[in-house]
Amino acid sequence: METSSPASAAPVTRSLATPSKASEGRDGAPEPTLIDIRALDFYYGAKQALFDINLAIPDRRVTAFIGPSGCGKSTLLRCLNRMNDLIDGTAVKRGEVKIRDVDIYGPSVDPIELRKRVGMVFQKSNPFPKSIYENIIYGLRIQGVKSKTKLDEVVERSLRGAALWDEVKDRLHESGLGLSGGQQQRLCIARTIAVEPEVILMDEPCSALDPIATAKVEELIHELKKQFTIIIVTHSMQQAARCSDRTAFFYMGKLIEFDETHNIFMNPKNPQTEAYVSGRFG
Amino acid sequence: MSAPANPFAPRHGSLRRAETAVAWAFRSATYFILLCGGFVFGNICLKGLPTVTGAFRGLDHFPYVTNTFLFEAPESLYVFEHDGKKVEMGDAEYRAFREAETARAAAEGLPAPKFKAKSYVYASGGIWPCIVGTVLLVVGSMTIALLLGVASAIYLSEYAREGPFVRFIRLAILNLAGVPSIVFGLFGFAMFVLYFDWNVSLLAGWFTLAFMVLPVVITASEEALKAVPRGFREGSLALGATKWQTIRKNVLPYALPGILTSSILGIARVAGETAPIMFTAAYVVRDKLPWEVEKFGDFVFQGVMALPYHIYVVSSKIPQNEYTQRVQYGTAFVFLGIVALIAGSSILLRNKLRGRYQW
Amino acid sequence: MPPESSTTPAVDSTVRSFRIQKERTRILGLTWDECIQGFFGGNAFVAVIVLGLITFFLFREGSSFFTQNRDNLTIYRQAGLEYVDFGRQQEKDHAALSRYLSDLRLRTLRHYTDQEGLPAKEAQARLAEFDRFADRFSSASKPLRSLLSDLGDVAVDIKARHQNNLNFAEKRRQLLAAGKTAEAAEVELVPIDYAGEVAAITATLPDFAEASATFAKTLEDLIATPPALPAPELTERLTRFQALTRDYLAGFPATLEAMKAWDPARPVPLAQSFTAFVFGRQWLTASFWQDWYGVMPLIAGSLLVSLIALALAVPLGVGAAVYVNQLASPTEQRLIKPSIEFISAIPSVVLGFFGIAVLGEFLRVASGWSFLAWVPGFPFAERLNALTAGCLLGLIAVPTIFTLAEDAINNVPRAFKEASYALGASRLQTIIRIIVPASLSGIVSAILLGLGRVIGETMVVLLCAGNRIAIPDFTAGLGVVTQPVHTMTGIIAQEMGEVEPGAIHYRALFVVGLLLFFIALLLNFFAQKIVRKYKVSIG
């Protein structure tokens, strides 16, 4: 079924062929860029929501998007797996988004395949009204995986990956809706990693959780970044400071500053960023 | 010592009296409606129940209209005097009786007896063919309406993007809902019966009724689909499911109870309408039951008797008197009972469903 | 290749190929998903198609009504029926005057027996003079009547032969279509010399003028010497009768002029066929003389019944909506709402039967109760009339109005109500000044939709409205509600089963259906428009 396209067949090293975008990591090592956003303009109907965004998101790091409400951070996040396609009247008018040098808005791209590679966790946990087990394997089921042993294995691996296995291993066949809020959100994360995406987009995943559940999810994010590239939209600056490597600050649909997290918080270059992180507005 | 005047004490005055009066006026309007509805319902139940239970048989020796009322075909009723007594007989029994009497008279060498019987058409026997016909009409038309309606609702709720095209469709649905049922009857007669040359047939009735109930089904289904949270769809799509996979696995199963429940109200409407089937599917009287056809293909091309049309016939085409009343009330009672059962269960189920699904 | 890349071997080994293209199976250039979407989209279009088909078929079957009706009116003229009808109208008016006289006789008789206490025999004797007068008055038209009757026979004969010719032509066409040329040739059409034959009728104009003049003279002489009546009130009526007769006689020359000017060859314009339908005051079918398809009586009947229904249903429905939404306890709400919905499930044919079996009789008996005698139109003798049907239609409209009005009231933002209470308004004040005005457009559209439901309702009016095809006599004031009427829906249901497809009568019924269809669309349109406006105003 799958035919290899020129882009995917390209040698792996090609993804590293853009050193200018790769910046220095904290340890001084250069970080390869995974997602490269260039000059992106995005519209809701006639209203422009994103203005000329240029951003290079490194592989296997946690990148946080912060900014006041309505600054476009969620919109940008949803651009990355084309969830915005589902909303009427939205359009990328200019610019491109490349993941591993593949333009995801290119004509040959299948958004459904894209979403298999770029998973998403939503603000409000949304487990399906099915059993925990069925929730996890949903993504594989629709890809046509039938083997019971494979599915069992994936369920365990995903739940362990989401640090949920010990809590639910005895009730895999009970409804996912019976879990607590934090558990539900981790179930959604487990469901996402079951499909083995490369990138996990998290849209304010902790905004509906209490501090203890939030701490667990943050801990999980730390674990996950070994395997996945994570982009997290958050309202909480503390959360961004705690769990992200890089932070992008948005304001009024524009990217104001993008840097190492500690630079953004300790030593912002832009006065607007400084005003925001020091709590003077937003 | 007088207590200090309480500034918040209720004030009595004309305003307060007016308030009470108006509240009572509203209340009595409400209860008057319920009273009227209840009276109609009660009247028909009280007078119709004896027909079905067969109480009439015990009371006035009514021949056929008994609990077999439900399972026999309509017959004429003959009323005559015999041996100074008033006798009532159904058609078949009357004929047998007459033959027997004539034979007996011949055997005894007497002149053949004369019978002066008054006949009341449809006033004896039961309504079995009508029940069968109504059930067939309802099942067929609801199948068509559900297939078309649910598919249409899926499009409107899941695929369609707001625009002139969808607005146009919605406008059409709204307007279709307001078209009088007799106009559907005319339309069905012109298109199915005459133009397609299906004659007065089940098929013509099915399509006419299905088109009539289509707006109800679409609206109900769309509502049920809209009640499924967005998160189910987004979650599924974010996992790389296609739209159709999402709908089939993660939307339809949760909307289906709602769709079916609300569509039951459509069934009540289909079962209750007379005007659309008058010229498209219903016969005044038909001796054969629907399954007594020569070849299977004829099944859908035959007209049937139907309860609502039978009520129309027995209440307008035959006189009102003590002999016909039983069949009239009995038919109305059975029909009302069926429709009430359907509608009632729909209302109950819906209230139950509202409480159950909390996502 | 940049040198940095070689320093990240760990990344290299784990990087998976990023493959987001997929060749999906395509059918006619569409993916499977697009096909499914197309399928559902097509189904959504069904509603539009059905609406289109309804319009198309109603037009298809109904449109040629107007040309057929023109032919109908043309033969009415060509055969001279129109001409004869001038005279017949005169005769009819005379009959009406005679009826006035018999009414007067009845009153006089009652005066003698009730007021003066005379025995019946003597009272009759005293009326002898009046009777002679009345007899002479009514028999005065005899010569005229026989003349008209002869003329009518001639005209009807022409029309009958015309009809025969039409039938033969149709038969021949069918035979030809079936390829039976020989048999078709045998079917013979008898040509009719319309002008010549009608000339025989118009030639009698001098006779008619003469008969008419004699007739007028007789009447004039008669009313110059009226009989004496015992009471001033009765005399007054007689004077009125004299005046009426004089007016009647004054119209004679005009009639004569119209007959003189009448031209059988004048073509009937299509517009006249249209106006004859829309403004026609008679719906008369299967008549030996002339069929009329005037929709006025049906529209008037439909409107009358609907107005009665709304007069009952609007206060009840809206009142109940306000009560349930604003005043009732939660328990009441839980019980009342489904109960009223339940009423809407009662099939209309059952309500119609209830009207025949119970309500009609009850209303007739109730109208005879002496303490209700002040009600206009009471007592009445017809069990089935506009009132009976209107009451039942009211019961049908109540749930519609209730549900929609309750929705509208429910949509008034809670904040409005709370703000009003916070300002010290009472419950009633809040309802009247805040809730009802804010939901008024919703309530109005509910009433419009209720009206649509009622106008389109068939079985109840068919069974209970009395089915008399005549414009109700609105001069009776409110009492008009007790008259039997016929309606647009009722006439379709009643006559559709008996007509021959393709005939003018069949087409006329379709045009009535078309009219109903457009009335329903119009009501819907206005209801939606009002609701849209309201949404904008709330913000």
Side-chain angles (χ1 to χ4, degrees):
Chain A
M1 289 287 280
E2 279 189 33
T3 57
S4 52
S5 68
S8 58
V12 165
T13 43
R14 269 197 60 189
S15 62
L16 309 172
T18 49
S20 55
K21 286 173 283 164
S23 43
E24 300 284 314
R26 217 178 302 176
D27 49 0
E31 292 176 346
T33 298
L34 179 70
I35 304 176
D36 188 11
I37 303 166
R38 282 193 197 166
L40 185 74
D41 282 354
F42 183 83
Y43 286 80
Y44 284 114
K47 189 174 160 278
Q48 189 167 5
L50 294 175
F51 299 84
D52 192 30
I53 306 289
N54 285 287
L55 193 61
I57 295 168
D59 194 6
R60 247 157 292 181
R61 292 286 180 274
V62 178
T63 305
F65 290 177
I66 62 170
S69 297
C71 68
K73 53 191 191 305
S74 284
T75 306
L76 180 60
L77 192 77
R78 294 170 71 96
C79 276
L80 299 182
N81 68 345
R82 291 184 61 172
M83 284 298 272
N84 279 331
D85 288 14
L86 306 170
I87 300 168
D88 286 352
T90 57
V92 171
K93 288 265 172 79
R94 191 171 70 89
E96 55 187 13
V97 180
K98 284 188 172 174
I99 302 184
R100 288 206 197 288
D101 272 358
V102 180
D103 180 2
I104 63 167
Y105 283 92
S108 66
V109 168
D110 185 342
I112 288 147
E113 294 301 310
L114 171 69
R115 291 186 201 123
K116 286 182 187 162
R117 313 308 304 271
V118 183
M120 188 162 192
V121 175
F122 296 85
Q123 180 171 9
K124 189 173 171 292
S125 62
N126 56 352
F128 305 138
K130 305 173 190 281
S131 70
I132 294 169
Y133 187 90
E134 285 290 332
N135 259 290
I136 303 283
I137 62 168
Y138 181 86
L140 295 177
R141 273 267 162 88
I142 55 179
Q143 288 178 32
V145 177
K146 294 229 166 64
S147 151
K148 175 84 172 131
T149 47
K150 169 99 201 276
L151 293 176
D152 285 348
E153 182 203 314
V154 168
V155 167
E156 181 168 350
R157 197 181 65 220
S158 312
L159 284 173
R160 280 190 195 283
L164 197 59
W165 176 252
D166 292 328
E167 292 163 59
V168 300
K169 64 182 175 203
D170 301 325
R171 43 177 178 146
L172 287 178
H173 294 282
E174 287 173 29
S175 167
L177 292 169
L179 299 174
S180 73
Q183 286 173 326
Q184 284 191 6
Q185 195 58 292
R186 277 182 286 146
L187 175 63
C188 291
I189 294 174
R191 189 173 72 185
T192 307
I193 62 182
V195 194
E196 296 182 353
E198 228 159 312
V199 183
I200 300 177
L201 309 175
M202 295 187 175
D203 192 355
E204 300 182 33
C206 302
S207 64
L209 303 183
D210 61 54
I212 295 170
T214 302
K216 279 196 174 161
V217 172
E218 286 178 5
E219 213 174 287
L220 178 58
I221 290 173
H222 254 292
E223 284 300 310
L224 289 174
K225 77 173 179 182
K226 291 174 191 155
Q227 279 185 60
F228 305 97
T229 303
I230 293 171
I231 305 173
I232 177 169
V233 164
T234 176
H235 259 119
S236 149
M237 280 175 284
Q238 289 87 339
Q239 187 172 49
R242 277 195 303 265
C243 59
S244 72
D245 303 312
R246 301 281 180 113
T247 299
F249 171 63
F250 293 85
Y251 184 58
M252 306 271 282
K254 296 193 176 79
L255 173 63
I256 305 297
E257 193 168 350
F258 177 52
D259 206 340
E260 296 286 329
T261 300
H262 63 95
N263 283 343
I264 291 278
F265 285 96
M266 299 302 168
N267 188 16
K269 295 187 182 72
N270 189 302
Q272 276 175 322
T273 317
E274 195 197 348
Y276 184 72
V277 298
S278 58
R280 266 182 279 145
F281 80 96
Chain B
M1 280 260 295
S2 64
N6 177 4
F8 304 125
R11 270 162 223 190
H12 299 276
S14 56
L15 183 74
R16 222 182 150 67
R17 273 197 299 279
E19 181 127 328
T20 322
V22 171
W24 270 102
F26 283 138
R27 180 171 298 152
S28 36
T30 313
Y31 284 98
F32 182 70
I33 297 172
L34 296 182
L35 200 72
C36 290
F39 183 73
V40 174
F41 198 73
N43 176 273
I44 287 174
C45 285
L46 275 182
K47 293 202 186 162
L49 196 63
T51 312
V52 178
T53 58
F56 271 124
R57 179 161 59 172
L59 284 176
D60 34 13
H61 309 284
F62 194 61
Y64 274 92
V65 184
T66 62
N67 46 5
T68 56
F69 179 68
L70 294 176
F71 300 108
E72 286 193 5
E75 276 188 317
S76 294
L77 176 76
Y78 289 88
V79 183
F80 56 95
E81 290 204 2
H82 182 70
D83 288 345
K85 269 192 301 185
K86 211 167 208 179
V87 185
E88 298 167 23
M89 278 183 186
D91 190 34
E93 194 191 3
Y94 174 65
R95 263 182 233 180
F97 175 79
R98 214 165 51 172
E99 268 171 35
E101 285 290 300
T102 318
R104 203 183 52 157
E108 290 174 15
L110 293 169
K114 282 193 183 121
F115 292 94
K116 264 201 209 156
K118 269 192 162 174
S119 75
Y120 299 97
V121 69
Y122 311 130
S124 180
I127 50 170
W128 177 235
C130 310
I131 297 178
V132 170
T134 296
V135 168
L136 281 176
L137 279 173
V138 167
V139 169
S141 55
M142 276 320 279
T143 311
I144 297 172
L146 274 176
L147 287 178
L148 290 175
V150 173
S152 177
I154 288 178
Y155 178 78
L156 289 175
S157 145
E158 306 297 319
Y159 286 103
R161 305 195 158 184
E162 284 311 317
F165 177 70
V166 169
R167 268 205 301 279
F168 185 55
I169 290 180
R170 284 186 200 285
L171 195 71
I173 293 170
L174 261 174
N175 280 318
L176 202 59
V179 174
S181 53
I182 186 82
V183 174
F184 276 102
L186 274 183
F187 157 69
F189 182 64
M191 175 156 162
F192 302 122
V193 177
L194 295 182
Y195 186 71
F196 287 174
D197 204 13
W198 288 349
N199 272 324
V200 173
S201 63
L202 270 179
L203 204 57
W206 283 345
F207 275 98
T208 309
L209 287 173
F211 285 164
M212 190 193 72
V213 81
L214 197 60
V216 178
V217 175
I218 294 178
T219 317
S221 308
E222 210 189 330
E223 220 166 82
L225 285 167
K226 287 251 158 84
V228 177
R230 250 177 90 89
F232 289 15
R233 299 184 179 93
E234 289 193 329
S236 169
L237 289 170
L239 290 170
T242 64
K243 199 138 196 178
W244 171 233
Q245 283 171 327
T246 303
I247 293 167
R248 199 179 37 149
K249 298 212 163 175
N250 234 10
V251 178
L252 261 190
Y254 309 120
L256 212 55
I259 292 176
L260 292 179
T261 317
S262 310
S263 297
I264 298 179
L265 220 56
I267 297 183
R269 177 137 191 242
V270 165
E273 279 292 353
T274 320
I277 57 170
M278 274 174 110
F279 333 120
T280 55
Y283 281 146
V284 176
V285 67
R286 187 162 189 267
D287 294 333
K288 278 187 187 163
L289 282 169
W291 44 80
E292 294 167 0
V293 284
E294 284 171 17
K295 41 181 213 287
F296 187 70
D298 289 345
F299 185 78
V300 295
F301 289 110
Q302 60 177 338
V304 290
M305 292 180 78
L307 271 175
Y309 193 52
H310 194 64
I311 294 180
Y312 165 65
V313 171
V314 296
S315 55
S316 69
K317 302 275 153 91
I318 61 177
Q320 309 267 317
N321 59 36
E322 50 177 323
Y323 304 110
T324 58
Q325 203 193 26
R326 285 168 280 210
V327 166
Q328 290 168 342
Y329 269 106
T331 315
F333 168 68
V334 171
F335 183 48
L336 188 61
I338 292 176
V339 173
L341 210 69
I342 298 170
S345 62
S346 150
I347 293 170
L348 281 181
L349 266 174
R350 197 182 50 201
N351 286 353
K352 219 172 178 178
L353 219 60
R354 259 185 204 149
R356 204 173 70 193
Y357 283 101
Q358 298 273 316
W359 284 300
Chain C
M1 179 151 297
E4 288 92 341
S5 63
S6 58
T7 61
T8 54
V11 174
D12 268 7
S13 62
T14 50
V15 162
R16 291 152 290 186
S17 67
F18 191 74
R19 196 180 287 166
I20 55 174
Q21 287 88 354
K22 183 170 177 184
E23 205 55 47
R24 292 190 179 271
T25 324
R26 281 174 184 275
I27 306 156
L28 298 171
L30 295 170
T31 63
W32 179 229
D33 236 41
E34 283 164 335
C35 288
I36 290 171
Q37 171 166 5
F39 167 73
F40 287 132
N43 268 297
F45 216 60
V46 164
V48 180
I49 294 173
V50 170
L51 208 59
L53 281 177
I54 292 177
T55 322
F56 172 73
F57 271 97
L58 290 185
F59 265 114
R60 183 175 179 271
E61 299 299 315
S63 58
S64 56
F65 164 75
F66 291 108
T67 50
Q68 284 191 10
N69 197 28
R70 184 176 60 179
D71 296 346
N72 177 35
L73 293 174
T74 307
I75 187 62
Y76 173 62
R77 177 166 291 166
Q78 280 182 340
L81 292 167
E82 189 180 34
Y83 179 82
V84 182
D85 261 346
F86 286 125
R88 275 161 55 105
Q89 188 57 45
Q90 219 170 52
E91 195 188 313
K92 267 186 210 153
D93 292 345
H94 176 251
L97 285 171
S98 297
R99 275 200 299 280
Y100 190 97
L101 272 187
S102 16
D103 177 64
L104 190 57
R105 181 183 190 278
L106 193 70
R107 283 167 191 276
T108 316
L109 183 68
R110 227 183 270 150
H111 175 85
Y112 282 136
T113 53
D114 297 357
Q115 309 272 319
E116 299 185 11
L118 296 176
K121 207 166 181 185
E122 186 158 344
Q124 296 284 9
R126 285 210 190 177
L127 274 168
E129 190 200 353
F130 185 90
D131 285 346
R132 268 196 304 282
F133 173 76
D135 279 348
R136 278 165 61 197
F137 186 87
S138 65
S139 58
S141 70
K142 248 181 206 157
L144 197 64
R145 214 182 302 156
S146 71
L147 177 65
L148 284 172
S149 166
D150 293 345
L151 292 182
D153 289 347
V154 177
V156 167
D157 178 57
I158 300 176
K159 190 184 174 189
R161 278 182 288 139
H162 171 82
Q163 196 57 47
N164 274 344
N165 274 352
L166 287 185
N167 293 346
F168 284 143
E170 173 64 19
K171 194 173 168 191
R172 184 191 276 177
R173 201 186 54 74
Q174 279 175 1
L175 287 174
L176 281 176
K180 299 176 184 167
T181 329
E183 288 172 49
E186 275 176 36
V187 179
E188 221 171 302
L189 300 191
V190 190
I192 304 171
D193 173 19
Y194 294 104
E197 300 204 22
V198 168
I201 298 179
T202 45
T204 59
L205 186 63
D207 297 348
F208 179 82
E210 197 194 319
S212 177
T214 330
F215 175 50
K217 183 86 178 62
T218 322
L219 292 195
E220 250 167 54
D221 292 350
L222 257 176
I223 59 171
T225 54
L229 288 176
E233 190 258 345
L234 297 171
T235 320
E236 202 177 292
R237 279 179 181 273
L238 193 61
T239 321
R240 169 119 183 85
F241 170 75
Q242 285 171 299
L244 283 174
T245 311
R246 276 190 204 106
D247 285 351
Y248 167 63
L249 291 177
F252 274 29
T255 308
L256 216 53
E257 279 310 306
M259 288 169 92
K260 262 184 206 152
W262 182 77
D263 172 16
R266 198 155 58 88
V268 179
L270 198 57
Q272 194 186 334
S273 151
F274 185 75
T275 47
F277 175 76
V278 176
F279 302 110
R281 300 169 64 86
Q282 272 194 91
W283 181 281
L284 192 66
T285 57
S287 148
F288 82 98
W289 183 258
Q290 169 68 13
D291 288 355
W292 294 104
Y293 301 96
V295 81
M296 261 304 161
L298 307 176
I299 293 182
S302 277
L303 277 183
L304 179 64
V305 173
S306 305
L307 287 181
I308 298 169
L310 283 192
L312 294 168
V314 169
L316 288 177
V318 175
V322 170
Y323 176 72
V324 168
N325 196 280
Q326 298 290 324
L327 303 169
S329 69
T331 322
E332 272 182 306
Q333 281 191 3
R334 257 205 314 282
L335 291 176
I336 292 174
K337 271 165 96 173
S339 305
I340 293 186
E341 266 181 68
F342 192 78
I343 292 179
S344 77
I346 299 180
S348 58
V349 68
V350 171
L351 280 179
F353 165 67
F354 177 80
I356 285 189
V358 182
L359 186 70
E361 189 58 28
F362 168 76
L363 283 178
R364 192 176 62 108
V365 171
S367 77
W369 293 342
S370 53
F371 67 90
L372 282 177
W374 55 272
V375 181
F378 278 22
F380 51 85
E382 289 283 351
R383 185 163 63 101
L384 303 177
N385 56 41
L387 185 64
T388 314
C391 288
L392 292 165
L393 285 179
L395 195 58
I396 287 179
V398 157
T400 310
I401 295 179
F402 168 82
T403 313
L404 294 169
E406 211 259 344
D407 266 0
I409 295 170
N410 211 17
N411 282 339
V412 175
R414 222 185 133 68
F416 287 17
K417 191 172 150 185
E418 283 171 353
S420 170
Y421 281 145
L423 290 170
S426 71
R427 216 160 49 158
L428 179 62
Q429 286 168 325
T430 306
I431 289 171
I432 291 176
R433 289 176 188 274
I434 304 293
I435 309 278
V436 172
S439 55
L440 194 62
S441 50
I443 293 175
V444 171
S445 92
I447 293 171
L448 282 181
L449 290 175
L451 178 62
R453 179 102 173 71
V454 164
I455 281 204
E457 176 50 53
T458 311
M459 297 320 288
V460 164
V461 290
L462 180 59
L463 287 169
C464 300
N467 296 354
R468 194 186 71 181
I469 311 176
I471 298 180
D473 178 16
F474 286 100
T475 55
L478 269 183
V480 71
V481 301
T482 60
Q483 296 176 4
V485 293
H486 215 320
T487 56
M488 292 189 281
T489 50
I491 202 100
I492 298 175
Q494 194 183 28
E495 297 185 346
M496 198 67 207
E498 300 155 7
V499 298
E500 179 195 341
I504 179 172
H505 190 180
Y506 166 88
R507 304 217 181 273
L509 293 178
F510 268 90
V511 178
V512 175
L514 204 57
L515 194 64
L516 261 177
F517 181 61
F518 282 120
I519 291 175
L521 291 190
L522 214 65
L523 284 174
N524 235 316
F525 171 77
F526 280 117
Q528 283 162 33
K529 196 164 182 163
I530 289 169
V531 168
R532 256 205 302 281
K533 237 182 177 172
Y534 148 86
K535 267 188 186 150
V536 171
S537 70
I538 281 244

